[in-house]
Amino acid sequence: MDDCLREVTQTSAGYFKEHFDDLVASAFLMDAYPPQMHGFSPTVVFAALYEKRCLSIWDNEFKGHIAGVSSRFVHHFAHLSGVKTSAAIRKETLYRLYRRWGGLRSTTTCLVCLCRPPEHMLPCKHAICDTCVVIFGKPSRLGEYHFEIAQCPICKERSDLTVRQLPPTKPPVILSLDGGGVRGLIQLGLLRALESRIGIPIASLPDLCIGTSVGALSAIDIFLNQSSVTQCFNAFPDLARNIFRRSSEIPIPRCIRWFASAFNLTTDGFYDSEGLSKILKAAVIPSRRMFDVATANPTGCRIAIVASRTSD
């Protein structure tokens, strides 16, 4: 929460003090009073949980906000009821402030709760964390621990995002797709056989997929572009012809074949890296950013891709 409060302090400079106090106070309220929480005195709760934190984070200019945040915290608490939850108050506050702070966005702080970094980007470009997905989303029919976000909690713009959450008692599943040139076809064959055996798409299983070189290309196709494993397997031979071309046409006699490895290190590898670079750029559309709206649905799998040259 500390880093999030620091960022929102910097990005909200210049806005009205009352609006800033409301933004922070309603976030604290949602954090302190989840559903069925005992109604402890808001003055005591604020002093115990948030006052010292704010004093340690904010400089002298913002320390004057603490009294205002505390006052708004108590004010919002008075409106809590069995019907009006802290999340509902937070949503009302966010929408009211959005009409004045329309340009406030962040990819490092979830502006819905101000407590955690965001994990998912909504079509309106507001980012949201996993916890807020559960709070403001609804269970999906796609399966257990699937949540649908039909509306952005900040601007109320329509969204059709479905998020697959990691169950609290389940360790994450990690899929590693190695490089290795044309041998990338072997791992695609293994994935295809595994998919056929278990009867469900491979893309629905991992919580994290890491791909290297041609493994990165497979990860992009399967998890970002929603290609099936069979489609990737069938397309691989044509891709391999474009990627794995010799980086040098200088002939090397058979009698000194052992020298080839050392020679290729000085010429940045056995194959031309430009081919792989072009294919990777074509697979990831130019408009895609590192933190962007997911095309795969439901989201839930994080993806990391790695490709390097010997010169790196």
Side-chain angles (χ1 to χ4, degrees):
M1 177 183 282
D2 291 2
D3 290 338
C4 296
L5 287 176
R6 288 190 185 94
E7 182 182 351
V8 78
T9 300
Q10 296 169 357
T11 56
S12 60
Y15 292 106
F16 288 116
K17 178 182 181 300
E18 295 78 9
H19 297 163
F20 176 83
D21 295 347
D22 236 4
L23 178 72
V24 177
S26 57
F28 287 168
L29 186 83
M30 188 173 71
D31 178 61
Y33 295 98
Q36 300 180 351
M37 180 66 178
H38 181 75
F40 295 106
S41 166
T43 305
V44 174
V45 169
F46 184 85
L49 298 181
Y50 306 112
E51 186 172 2
K52 290 182 180 179
R53 172 169 281 166
C54 293
L55 284 170
S56 65
I57 294 173
W58 292 342
D59 56 24
N60 292 330
E61 180 183 354
F62 273 87
K63 284 179 181 177
H65 283 271
I66 295 177
V69 172
S70 176
S71 174
R72 296 304 297 172
F73 184 82
V74 174
H75 169 81
H76 288 311
F77 175 83
H79 290 82
L80 284 175
S81 66
V83 177
K84 197 167 190 178
T85 64
S86 59
I89 292 174
R90 176 61 175 168
K91 190 173 181 179
E92 289 178 0
T93 304
L94 284 171
Y95 184 64
R96 176 165 46 82
L97 294 178
Y98 168 74
R99 289 180 292 179
R100 299 177 175 88
W101 295 17
L104 188 61
R105 287 177 170 82
S106 174
T107 57
T108 54
T109 293
C110 175
L111 296 178
V112 181
C113 64
L114 304 185
C115 293
R116 290 163 286 272
E119 298 285 351
H120 312 282
M121 183 73 79
L122 300 177
C124 59
K125 305 302 182 183
H126 286 121
I128 188 171
C129 68
D130 278 335
T131 301
C132 288
V133 165
V134 176
I135 293 173
F136 294 98
K138 294 182 178 180
S140 171
R141 296 179 180 178
L142 293 177
E144 193 176 10
Y145 294 104
H146 286 63
F147 295 88
E148 296 177 354
I149 301 293
Q151 186 184 66
C152 173
I154 297 176
C155 65
K156 295 187 178 182
E157 184 174 318
R158 179 177 173 79
S159 170
D160 57 356
L161 183 70
T162 301
V163 176
R164 173 171 57 86
Q165 294 275 25
L166 181 67
T169 57
K170 173 183 174 294
V173 175
I174 301 175
L175 174 63
S176 175
L177 299 178
D178 295 336
V182 294
R183 287 173 292 183
L185 187 64
I186 298 174
Q187 66 183 3
L188 285 174
L190 291 173
L191 289 177
R192 187 173 66 167
L194 178 62
E195 191 174 79
S196 175
R197 178 70 64 88
I198 62 179
I200 58 176
I202 287 294
S204 66
L205 295 178
D207 301 295
L208 172 65
C209 178
I210 304 174
T212 303
S213 189
V214 292
L217 187 61
S218 298
I220 291 170
D221 257 356
I222 295 171
F223 294 98
L224 286 185
N225 298 338
Q226 296 181 273
S227 299
S228 68
V229 175
T230 299
Q231 288 174 321
C232 293
F233 183 88
N234 294 336
F236 190 88
D238 289 334
L239 291 176
R241 294 187 188 96
N242 293 322
I243 296 174
F244 303 113
R245 295 175 177 173
R246 293 290 180 88
S247 60
S248 175
E249 299 299 328
I250 300 176
I252 302 176
R254 288 179 178 272
C255 61
I256 56 171
R257 181 68 68 180
W258 59 269
F259 182 71
S261 297
F263 175 80
N264 289 321
L265 285 175
T266 65
T267 58
D268 205 18
F270 198 64
Y271 298 106
D272 183 7
S273 62
E274 190 63 27
L276 178 59
S277 177
K278 288 181 179 179
I279 296 295
L280 285 172
K281 289 178 181 178
V284 182
I285 58 176
S287 60
R288 183 183 294 280
R289 300 173 297 178
M290 290 186 69
F291 194 93
D292 210 343
V293 181
T295 55
N297 197 21
T299 67
C301 180
R302 278 66 169 173
I303 304 163
I305 59 174
V306 180
S308 62
R309 301 170 297 180
T310 54
S311 60
D312 297 332

